[in-house]
Amino acid sequence: MRFMMLMIPKGYESAAPGTLPSAERIETMTAYNHALQEAGVLIALDGLHPPSMGARVSFPKGQPPRVVDGPFPEAKEVLGGYWMLNIPSREEAIEWARRCPASEDETIEIRQVMGMEDFPDEVQKQVADR
């Protein structure tokens, strides 16, 4: 099963463009990321630039898509990065999240990634027939 661990750093929603983690922070996270890789569970990972450098595209009904440049003042939580893991269970994802050298102002949200096997057989057949 695939699980995504989403890093949600408190305060990142208002970080200035170009904000980067410290060298010490990079070093501790690199060690953690290496442990994931050595265990053979890591599929992908990336850190994200702050929302002040991003954009959001919304799709109002009956209107053209709407683009809003960051930062997003209404945002209470934003993503700072993610890990994609291939592991057998939600419990193992939780254990990996517990090992993360996160600070007290960071939260990791764990979400299972949908696979075609999660859908009913008739949906799988329709997709396979295309």
Side-chain angles (χ1 to χ4, degrees), residues 23-112:
E24 179 182 294
R25 184 81 173 125
I26 296 293
E27 186 177 327
T28 59
M29 277 300 191
T30 298
Y32 174 71
N33 296 338
H34 184 71
L36 290 166
Q37 189 175 31
E38 287 290 309
V41 299
L42 183 64
I43 297 171
L45 65 92
D46 281 300
L48 302 172
H49 282 281
S52 55
M53 297 173 67
R56 287 186 174 175
V57 180
S58 59
F59 302 87
K61 186 173 182 171
Q63 299 177 28
R66 180 172 171 244
V67 178
V68 176
D69 290 326
F72 314 111
E74 71 283 356
K76 303 227 183 310
E77 294 179 332
V78 297
L79 295 179
Y82 70 91
W83 298 266
M84 180 72 77
L85 306 180
N86 186 11
I87 49 182
S89 69
R90 177 180 175 270
E91 291 70 31
E92 189 170 335
I94 291 169
E95 286 307 312
W96 276 110
R98 286 182 172 179
R99 295 182 204 173
C100 182
S103 68
E104 67 276 357
D105 62 347
E106 294 175 313
T107 300
I108 295 176
E109 181 177 327
I110 299 166
R111 306 272 298 276
Q112 186 173 351

